[in-house]
Amino acid sequence: KAGVTQTPRYLIKTRGQQVTLSCSPISGHRSVSWYQQTPGQGLQFLFEYFSETQRNKGNFPGRFSGRQFSNSRSEMNVSTLELGDSALYLCASSLSAATSHNEQFFGPGTRLTVL
Amino acid sequence: GEDVEQSLFLSVREGDSSVINCTYTDSSSTYLYWYKQEPGAGLQLLTYIFSNMDMKQDQRLTVLLNKKDKHLSLRIADTQTGDSAIYFCAVPSGSARQLTFGSGTQLTVLP
């Protein structure tokens, strides 16, 4: 079974631009979560989608948004990029809709560099 | 909100045991997770423990949970150079669908 895939793997943008990152979950997984990883802040939760609905959102500005499609693939978008948005963006998928056990499987990440 | 703390660095000799520690604040956490991240890669789920367990063993990995002290540890027996990586403790917070990660412990295995 294929793992979580993320595209692109690397991206370079300039301040003020916008970017869209894509994530394909493991087949059969309906939940997709996004995390931002930076050396200073570590791993921080962005949002989670389940069945095309955003179920949970972290503490990020409105410039960060996402969506999920009917095939469970998800995209996240960052508008008006800032230097501080440079990070590794990780996507994780999970099978269970149950709230007690959330075994998440991570993709390799998209490395975004903002110049 | 949830706060998860880990020490930043650990060095061990090849063949020795490694113990990585984690403390958390939310006592309602039901499952607690350990992830491994190798350079340039995403996170790999290593193991997890349910909060009503004290210990879980999985081959070279042993997870110990002290729920009273909110302390979680990961022991790696017979540590190999391939175990060099960053290890993250992760605890569900808010809804269980949101994981709060520790800062990660950089494990260096010396030959």
Side-chain angles (χ1 to χ4, degrees):
Chain A
K1 190 183 269 192
V4 178
T5 57
Q6 292 187 245
T7 56
R9 292 293 311 279
Y10 303 92
L11 208 47
I12 299 175
K13 292 285 189 179
T14 55
R15 276 182 300 175
Q17 287 187 308
Q18 73 159 13
V19 67
T20 299
L21 312 182
S22 180
C23 171
S24 292
I26 292 170
S27 178
H29 286 195
R30 294 167 63 194
S31 170
V32 173
S33 297
W34 289 89
Y35 293 84
Q36 181 196 63
Q37 185 178 27
T38 59
Q41 299 297 317
L43 276 153
Q44 293 186 288
F45 173 78
L46 279 156
F47 27 65
E48 185 241 351
Y49 287 86
F50 181 80
S51 293
E52 301 179 64
T53 302
Q54 187 181 87
R55 287 163 59 102
N56 205 8
K57 190 175 191 302
N59 190 24
F60 277 81
R63 299 186 298 108
F64 291 82
S65 62
R67 60 179 175 167
Q68 187 180 34
F69 301 94
S70 57
N71 62 358
S72 295
R73 191 177 69 85
S74 176
E75 289 181 347
M76 68 163 280
N77 184 275
V78 188
S79 62
T80 320
L81 283 165
E82 300 176 0
L83 295 178
D85 297 332
S86 294
L88 181 67
Y89 289 88
L90 292 163
C91 163
S93 78
S94 66
L95 173 64
S96 175
T99 56
S100 62
H101 183 28
N102 191 19
E103 189 172 344
Q104 297 189 8
F105 297 86
F106 283 77
T110 294
R111 172 75 61 188
L112 172 65
T113 301
V114 182
L115 302 176
Chain B
E2 179 72 74
D3 193 25
V4 181
E5 300 282 340
Q6 293 180 246
S7 52
L8 292 180
F9 303 100
L10 176 65
S11 289
V12 299
R13 292 279 177 194
E14 193 173 12
D16 288 350
S17 291
S18 309
V19 179
I20 300 170
N21 295 300
C22 169
T23 57
Y24 60 97
T25 55
D26 185 357
S27 62
S28 65
S29 301
T30 51
Y31 286 86
L32 301 99
Y33 304 88
W34 283 102
Y35 284 86
K36 175 183 179 182
Q37 186 176 35
E38 297 185 64
L43 274 69
Q44 173 194 353
L45 177 64
L46 280 179
T47 187
Y48 61 88
I49 188 167
F50 185 51
S51 59
N52 70 351
M53 299 169 67
D54 297 325
M55 184 181 85
K56 178 181 178 182
Q57 189 153 0
D58 185 1
Q59 299 182 336
R60 293 191 297 122
L61 304 178
T62 303
V63 179
L64 295 177
L65 175 61
N66 182 327
K67 200 174 178 186
K68 175 176 167 288
D69 293 339
K70 297 176 192 171
H71 182 267
L72 183 70
S73 67
L74 173 70
R75 178 178 178 269
I76 305 172
D78 186 26
T79 313
Q80 302 297 308
T81 54
D83 294 324
S84 292
I86 301 176
Y87 290 81
F88 292 92
C89 155
V91 177
S93 59
S95 98
R97 315 211 60 76
Q98 174 180 339
L99 292 178
T100 297
F101 287 84
S103 56
T105 299
Q106 172 79 59
L107 173 64
T108 302
V109 182
L110 306 170

